[in-house]
Amino acid sequence: MTGNINRRSLLKGAGAAAAGTATGTAGCLSLVGGGSGKSLTVSSKNFTEQFILSQISIQMLQSAGHEVESKTGLGGSPANFKAVKNGDSAMYWEYTGTAWSSILGKDKVISDPKKLYDKVDSAYNEQYSIDWLQKAPFNNTYVIMANPSWAKENGIKNLNDLAKHAKSGNTDFSVAMNPEIKRREDGWGGLPDTYGFAKEAKKVETVSMKLGLAYKAVKNGEADLGFGFNTNPKIKKFGLEVLEDPKNHFIIYNPAPNVNKDVLDDSMKKTLNEPTSKLTTEKMRSLNAKVSIDGKDPKQVAKTFLKDNGFL
């Protein structure tokens, strides 16, 4: 799945290139013929998870009687944010961690998901007239994955266990990651401090590779542990163990529809919020797998999800 791998890199690079495609639809928020339906444009970032989420919203809006123009794959966060802020797009799905750090430019780490969501929602409403609708339960953050045999042999289920393991003198394990994760304070760089094994971590072997390759490397035992993204379907495909993060070291990435307030009304809000609570981490991994591993169409995957849960 290319999407998760490229999510952060897209934030910096894709905005300028894609911004030009978000023009010429200034009338997209207007009512159609005096009826109850509206003419709306829905955009998205250009990776698998976003194609599925946007299709869920598109099909819910269409079912409620709205006309929807799809501009999925518009670009990264900057392009989509600009389009919604300017009214060129009615909505797209954004992640709380991305909005906090990349759009609002905040450095302070907020580990409580609700507090982070409330702060982002409030800032967007006040500064940009964009409302954050209900957030999904899944959190597409960084995770550390473990080879299941290695985790079972060493009795490790979470990062507290890993720290205890290392502080007991067991530092002969390896962790796959890319150079950026190795350096970042919210990645491996600051994790040993968070969990109190900084001294021992200096003896741990780090294996440098692209994050997209880490899933298979951990599965094959080329590394005992590896960094990945929480909703990447390869976690499920390879049966990897995800180590829980009880101290919330990793930034929270809950997604929610971001909607321009000029178009949003109570009916539309209710329509878009309906399916959100069903989007758990396991469900999102499964939906992503159907597209990126099984090769199915995101539109059809979204439709099946909505029908299976009684929304269509």
Side-chain angles (χ1 to χ4, degrees):
M1 181 175 126
T2 58
N4 279 336
I5 299 166
N6 293 329
R7 186 181 66 200
R8 275 77 174 182
S9 60
L10 284 168
L11 302 181
K12 296 181 179 177
T21 64
T23 59
T25 56
C28 64
L29 307 184
S30 61
L31 294 174
V32 176
S36 59
K38 298 178 181 180
S39 179
L40 306 163
T41 298
V42 174
S43 59
S44 80
K45 305 186 215 185
N46 51 3
F47 55 87
T48 297
E49 187 166 286
Q50 285 274 314
F51 291 137
I52 297 170
L53 293 173
S54 59
Q55 278 298 327
I56 288 173
S57 294
I58 287 171
Q59 293 180 41
M60 288 297 292
L61 290 169
Q62 290 174 331
S63 179
H66 302 292
E67 286 187 7
V68 182
E69 179 184 0
S70 172
K71 286 200 171 182
T72 57
L74 178 64
S77 285
N80 281 279
F81 169 72
K82 181 179 178 182
V84 172
K85 181 168 67 75
N86 293 343
D88 297 327
S89 172
M91 62 154 291
Y92 81 111
W93 284 73
E94 186 55 277
Y95 303 84
T96 50
T98 304
W100 183 246
S101 62
S102 298
I103 301 296
L104 297 173
K106 304 292 186 182
D107 294 326
K108 182 182 178 182
V109 175
I110 299 176
S111 57
D112 181 272
K114 185 178 185 305
K115 187 174 180 180
L116 177 60
Y117 170 85
D118 288 344
K119 283 188 172 292
V120 167
D121 182 37
S122 177
Y124 268 57
N125 270 279
E126 291 177 7
Q127 297 178 36
Y128 308 121
S129 195
I130 295 174
D131 196 31
W132 278 65
L133 303 192
Q134 184 176 316
K135 66 180 176 64
F138 81 82
N139 173 20
N140 192 7
T141 186
Y142 288 115
V143 291
I144 292 185
M145 314 164 297
N147 178 285
S149 298
W150 184 88
K152 184 177 181 180
E153 180 181 344
N154 294 287
I156 295 173
K157 295 183 178 179
N158 58 49
L159 295 178
N160 278 332
D161 295 337
L162 182 67
K164 185 177 179 181
H165 182 71
K167 292 174 74 173
S168 298
N170 302 302
T171 55
D172 58 339
F173 60 87
S174 57
V175 189
M177 67 189 80
N178 64 25
E180 181 188 352
I181 291 295
K182 184 176 182 179
R183 185 176 61 251
R184 284 175 56 157
E185 282 299 306
D186 62 338
W188 178 255
L191 188 141
D193 286 330
T194 301
Y195 282 92
F197 68 107
K199 180 180 177 181
E200 293 78 12
K202 295 176 181 176
K203 301 176 183 177
V204 173
E205 179 187 2
T206 57
V207 182
S208 183
M209 65 176 66
K210 293 180 179 178
L211 295 193
L213 302 176
Y215 305 88
K216 193 170 185 178
V218 173
K219 182 255 185 183
N220 290 339
E222 297 167 25
D224 301 304
L225 302 163
F227 273 79
F229 292 110
N230 200 25
T231 57
N232 193 300
K234 292 179 183 175
I235 292 174
K236 182 181 179 71
K237 178 181 179 181
F238 295 139
L240 305 178
E241 296 286 339
V242 172
L243 302 188
E244 295 175 12
D245 177 20
K247 294 187 178 180
N248 294 321
H249 171 74
F250 298 118
I251 296 172
I252 305 295
Y253 286 87
N254 291 130
N258 282 203
V259 187
N260 185 302
K261 290 173 69 174
D262 289 344
V263 69
L264 186 64
D265 58 33
D266 289 343
S267 174
M268 185 176 166
K269 182 181 291 189
K270 182 181 178 183
T271 296
L272 290 169
N273 277 338
E274 272 192 77
T276 304
S277 65
K278 299 293 184 182
L279 293 168
T280 63
T281 297
E282 280 300 316
K283 176 54 67 177
M284 203 66 236
R285 280 181 195 157
S286 174
L287 296 178
N288 285 336
K290 291 179 188 302
V291 175
S292 63
I293 295 177
D294 299 339
K296 295 184 177 179
D297 183 351
K299 186 175 181 178
Q300 186 58 48
V301 169
K303 186 175 184 179
T304 301
F305 163 77
L306 292 172
K307 283 191 169 183
D308 287 348
N309 287 279
F311 300 122
L312 288 183

